[in-house]
Amino acid sequence: MDRRQKPSSPEQRSDLEAHGEASSTSHNDSRSFFNFSQLVLSAGKSKVPPALKHSKITYFEVEILDGQSKKQICIVDKVSPTSTLLDVKQKFHKACPQWHPSRVGLQLERNGPYLKDSINIQSLAVASIITLYFTDLGQQVGWTTFFLTEYTGPLLIYLLFYIRLSSIYDQWESKKNFRHPVVHLACFCHCLHYTRHLLETLFVHKLSGGHTPLKNMIKGCAFYWGFTSWIAYYINHPRYTPPSFGHRQVSFAALTFLMCEAGNHFINVALAHPSHSGLQACFPSPTYNPFTWLFLLVSCPNYTYEVGSWISFTVMTQTLPVGIFAFLMIIQMSLWAQKKHRLYLKRFYPEVRRKAAMIPIIF
């Protein structure tokens, strides 16, 4: 018969208790190590999903074809959904260095409009491959350079005629004939007009970072510079005859000119800092400044004041070249005003629908 022996002495019982405590301690240590290992493994696994998520990002390929021959120029790969068309142009420039991003025109269709640089590439995607048509826009210049060049020329050209260079006028006639005060006043008004344009280009207007073809700047400079030469030659000529109604006509026209110049400036400031209602932009509204009250009648009062300046300058100097220039400016300003008025009707219909474009009732 099998019998179990009991510990006979206190020393044997203490040895057994010590052995039991050691085994339980060892068991607890192994369990703690196992839990710690599981914690480390679970913490390590938490870093895996971002990598997997990153690997699931869908990239697009942009195929760029020639707008005329439809031949493939290059393929811009790995374009992220958050990229803009400007990013695609920069990558296209790296692949084809001969075409700067400013002269790259991209279209969805061969005869379609050129896409803006700010367009998100994902909004154009129908599949993983996006096909765009390329057109070389030619040499480009920035808008700031465009306006500074266009307005600096008339300012300097008029001053060259005002000082009556010997290569332009006969010096004997220049010394013999007395200059009428309107000649000096016309020089002041003309310089004031283009100085205002230059300062507003630098400090008031919020010009976009876009570009325009160089040929447009050449045409604009030819128009403004050419007419300025013609106007300045007649007004500063030694045989220039003053206006028919004398001082009264000159004073009235000069005062009107200064008022139009001031109104044009305040309107440009109002357009550069439009008022907002919450998150929605609003059409510029008249303020306490009386020059802004023209907003109640027309949607483009800056063009109204610009035309008023040249009409008053024509009356003040009473010369044919100024009259022809003012007539052409009325036509050009009315076209620009009608185009902008149509844009305003789409954005601010309730506020603009009863307004004229540039001149009340007529346009």
Side-chain angles (χ1 to χ4, degrees), residues 139-329:
Q139 187 65 37
Q140 304 286 301
V141 293
W143 282 111
T144 302
T145 304
F146 176 89
F147 288 116
L148 291 180
T149 306
E150 192 175 65
Y151 296 142
T152 303
L155 181 64
L156 299 178
I157 290 173
Y158 196 98
L159 292 176
L160 292 177
F161 283 90
Y162 176 74
I163 62 178
R164 291 183 175 179
L165 296 176
S166 59
S167 58
I168 301 176
Y169 302 111
D170 182 76
Q171 290 299 303
W172 185 81
E173 285 189 347
S174 299
K175 294 179 181 179
K176 178 182 177 181
N177 295 331
F178 172 75
R179 291 196 187 191
H180 194 275
V182 70
V183 176
H184 304 290
L185 182 61
C187 180
F188 169 78
C189 292
H190 192 275
C191 293
L192 175 66
H193 178 77
Y194 284 101
T195 301
R196 177 184 63 80
H197 274 303
L198 291 172
L199 294 177
E200 288 178 352
T201 300
L202 294 174
F203 304 109
V204 176
H205 295 304
K206 297 180 180 180
L207 300 175
S208 63
H211 299 78
T212 185
L214 178 62
K215 61 181 181 180
N216 289 347
M217 188 180 76
I218 295 176
K219 290 191 294 185
C221 290
F223 177 77
Y224 281 98
W225 295 16
F227 263 102
T228 299
S229 302
W230 192 22
I231 291 170
Y233 176 79
Y234 272 84
I235 296 177
N236 296 286
H237 199 279
R239 298 182 182 180
Y240 168 76
T241 55
S244 303
F245 296 96
H247 178 72
R248 183 176 299 178
Q249 177 179 343
V250 173
S251 300
F252 174 77
L255 181 61
T256 305
F257 178 88
L258 294 177
M259 291 178 61
C260 289
E261 288 295 302
N264 204 337
H265 171 70
F266 289 119
I267 292 297
N268 288 331
V269 172
L271 292 174
H273 303 87
S275 59
H276 292 78
S277 177
L279 299 176
Q280 186 177 4
C282 299
F283 183 78
S285 57
T287 62
Y288 63 89
N289 189 340
F291 290 103
T292 63
W293 294 351
L294 199 56
F295 273 121
L296 296 172
L297 302 176
V298 296
S299 60
C300 303
N302 52 326
Y303 296 145
T304 307
Y305 282 123
E306 183 76 12
V307 169
S309 295
W310 286 112
I311 293 177
S312 58
F313 193 77
T314 303
V315 175
M316 181 176 61
T317 58
Q318 195 175 310
T319 54
L320 179 62
V322 182
I324 296 176
F325 181 77
F327 176 73
L328 295 177
M329 290 296 289

Side-chain angles (χ1 to χ4, degrees), residues 65 71 91 95 102 121 124 131 157 201 226 243 255 269 278 350 362:
L65 306 180
K71 293 182 179 180
K91 292 184 177 181
S102 63
I121 201 66
L124 305 175
T131 301
I157 290 173
T201 300
L255 181 61
V269 172
I362 299 177

